[in-house]
Amino acid sequence: RKEVEQDPGPFNVPEGATVAFNCTYSNSASQSFFWYRQDCRKEPKLLMSVYSSGNEDGRFTAQLNRASQYISLLIRDSKLSDSATYLCVVTRIGGFKTIFGAGTRLFVKA
Amino acid sequence: GAGVSQSPSNKVTEKGKDVELRCDPISGHTALYWYRQSLGQGLEFLIYFQGNSAPDKSGLPSDRFSAERTGGSVSTLTIQRTQQEDSAVYLCASSLGARGPGELFFGEGSRLTVL
């Protein structure tokens, strides 16, 4: 079993739709959580950190459920420019090892 | 300011040859990571360096892979006796590493093709 698992998609949604991605992690000693975005043939870039209390950045909302060991990302009012692969990222307590999920592909259509 | 720089951006080699990939992290970043990404796949952790600590090599797929970081800055990933399955994009990232990994800043990657 992979340490970080995501639904690979693709998710095909129309502009303006709301879409949600989930990610599960298997190591209960995980400490920090992030969502990264990767455009086609580009390097990943940080989208947002994920905090226990949940956090929001504009149209993006991230949630963490430690008891169930999953992380979610909600995108409201999808834009064409949101089309990308969204990577769930987990780091371990007491170290720097940073594990990426395989990513969820999103296509937003006009 | 300069970001993470990787070279070469593209490398085509023959099976059995050795290759070296270079990463120049952001100045002042103490943590440096190498990942591998095969076509259409996620990022596979290879190794990380943090300050003067021993590197975490737990992701290196075989003893043909090695990496070093000289002077706490530039890193070189070496693949010996390359195989076709080594073909991938090798991504380097660095982070401040003050109290944890924090945000990783990636280079554009080195695309390796083994014929």
Side-chain angles (χ1 to χ4, degrees), chain A residues 13-71:
Chain A
V13 302
E15 270 188 298
T18 295
V19 60
F21 308 137
N22 287 330
C23 163
T24 58
Y25 59 96
S26 60
N27 192 330
S28 60
S30 299
Q31 177 180 32
S32 302
F33 309 89
F34 307 88
W35 284 101
Y36 278 68
R37 170 191 168 130
Q38 185 173 27
D39 293 306
C40 188
R41 293 186 169 268
K42 296 287 190 180
E43 70 275 20
K45 293 184 179 179
L46 178 68
L47 176 65
M48 60 195 304
S49 302
V50 186
Y51 304 120
S52 297
S53 55
N55 49 302
E56 187 174 308
D57 183 1
R59 298 181 294 107
F60 299 83
T61 300
Q63 298 275 356
L64 167 64
N65 185 319
R66 286 189 183 272
S68 301
Q69 295 184 198
Y70 81 78
I71 307 151

Side-chain angles (χ1 to χ4, degrees), chain B residues 1 3 5 16 18 27 34 43 50 59 62 67 79-81 83 88 91 96 106-107 114:
Chain B
S5 177
D18 296 353
S27 177
W34 283 100
L43 276 69
Q50 166 52 23
S62 77
I79 308 172
Q80 296 179 308
R81 304 181 302 281
Q83 303 294 312
L91 289 161
L96 274 173
F106 283 85
V114 182

Side-chain angles (χ1 to χ4, degrees), chain A residues 36 38 41 96-98, chain B residues 33 35 37 48 58 104 111:
Chain A
Y36 278 68
Q38 185 173 27
R41 293 186 169 268
F96 282 68
K97 189 169 183 177
T98 302
Chain B
Y33 299 76
Y35 292 86
Q37 187 170 33
Y48 82 77
S58 60
L104 270 59
R111 183 176 298 275

Side-chain angles (χ1 to χ4, degrees), chain B residues 15-19 63-64 79-83 86:
Chain B
K15 178 181 173 180
K17 301 281 189 181
D18 296 353
V19 296
D63 58 8
R64 295 187 295 105
I79 308 172
Q80 296 179 308
R81 304 181 302 281
T82 52
Q83 303 294 312
D86 299 335

